[in-house]
Amino acid sequence: MNPEAIAVLIPAHNEEELLPRALAAVAAAARHPALAKLHVLTVVAADACVDDTAKVAREAGASVLHLGSQNPGKARSAAAQHAMATLGTSATATWIASTDADSAVPPHWLAFQLDQARAGWEAVIGTVTVPRWPPVPHLADRHHELYNASRPAGGESWRHPHVHGANLGVTAEAYQEVGGFPALPVGEDHALVSALERNGHRVLRTPDCPVETSSRLRPRAVGGFGDHLAQLAAEEGVMH
């Protein structure tokens, strides 16, 4: 695949504080020289927001969708549909990248996914890192232990088991073939990747281009990465 356009999807529920950093990071990734001839459209799905999330997104140059479902699956799906309609490119020439409002992609994030698309991968499933931890003893160590449990020793290639909406990319064609993000309140990213793998699409699971994400223990989305950290923090509080 040789993409002509890239859609970046960001669901957001009351994210006026963290969204500017996320959008600045995506904008920097879109300015990478490897994307010089591509149209990059960032779509923020402002889902059931009562703050200035939509205003922040518009001021940063993103296309904004207003939703009222407070459902990440519906938000990502609606953002993808809006992006495809706005870009006007065919599914065979469009790459869909997904991240989160509390995350910051690295400057080469889109260029990295573009390289994998050109190499024939139909989806790229990345990892996340946490740059700043809350003051909970042993939380970071426990997370790293569990997160990297399956990583091979000796620097061998790691086909990791994780799926994060904060670090995911897929061809629009493969995305549409499996029905896109399902309207789930949690796990829409896992469901999409499972469908891609079940239907025989070429899925690259790689730790080579991680995305920084928040360590907040009171996340916006129930049942996601933040809840996982909150559960670990509670366990560490009991254990120590």
Side-chain angles (χ1 to χ4, degrees), residues 191-214:
L192 173 65
V193 174
S194 293
L196 290 167
E197 292 179 328
R198 189 169 56 248
N199 284 273
H201 291 287
R202 297 194 66 207
V203 176
L204 174 65
R205 292 174 173 265
T206 174
D208 291 345
C209 189
V211 166
E212 291 186 355
T213 197
S214 167

Side-chain angles (χ1 to χ4, degrees), residues 20-41:
R21 179 171 180 258
L23 290 173
V26 169
R31 291 193 298 269
H32 192 283
L35 279 65
K37 296 182 180 180
L38 274 70
H39 184 183
V40 179
L41 174 68

Side-chain angles (χ1 to χ4, degrees), residues 34-237:
L35 279 65
K37 296 182 180 180
L38 274 70
H39 184 183
V40 179
L41 174 68
T42 300
V43 179
V44 173
D47 193 9
C49 296
V50 295
D51 67 353
D52 284 335
T53 290
K55 179 182 177 183
V56 166
R58 282 194 299 269
E59 291 178 347
S63 181
V64 179
L65 278 181
H66 291 273
L67 304 171
S69 58
Q70 199 170 338
N71 180 301
K74 287 183 179 180
R76 287 193 211 274
S77 176
Q81 291 176 359
H82 177 77
M84 290 296 295
T86 302
L87 287 169
T89 48
S90 69
T92 57
T94 307
W95 181 262
I96 297 172
S98 171
T99 190
D100 285 339
D102 67 343
S103 303
V105 304
H108 66 297
W109 182 62
L110 292 175
F112 176 82
Q113 292 194 4
L114 184 64
D115 283 345
Q116 310 319 310
R118 288 172 172 165
W121 294 102
E122 294 175 277
V124 179
I125 315 304
T127 55
V128 296
T129 60
V130 177
R132 289 174 293 278
W133 289 93
V136 178
H138 310 289
L139 176 59
D141 290 341
R142 181 60 175 153
H143 165 72
H144 290 311
E145 177 187 357
L146 293 174
Y147 197 81
N148 294 284
S150 64
R151 186 189 287 267
E156 296 179 29
S157 178
W158 183 32
R159 182 176 169 79
H160 67 82
H162 309 294
V163 177
H164 304 283
N167 191 2
L168 186 156
V170 59
T171 68
E173 185 175 29
Y175 174 87
Q176 292 179 344
E177 284 178 2
V178 300
F181 287 109
L184 297 174
V186 65
E188 77 286 350
D189 44 5
H190 289 266
L192 173 65
V193 174
S194 293
L196 290 167
E197 292 179 328
R198 189 169 56 248
N199 284 273
H201 291 287
R202 297 194 66 207
V203 176
L204 174 65
R205 292 174 173 265
T206 174
D208 291 345
C209 189
V211 166
E212 291 186 355
T213 197
S214 167
S215 64
R216 60 187 176 192
L217 303 182
R218 293 181 179 179
R220 299 291 189 270
V222 177
F225 184 71
D227 273 356
H228 161 70
L229 294 183
Q231 182 179 350
L232 287 184
E235 291 172 358
E236 290 303 313

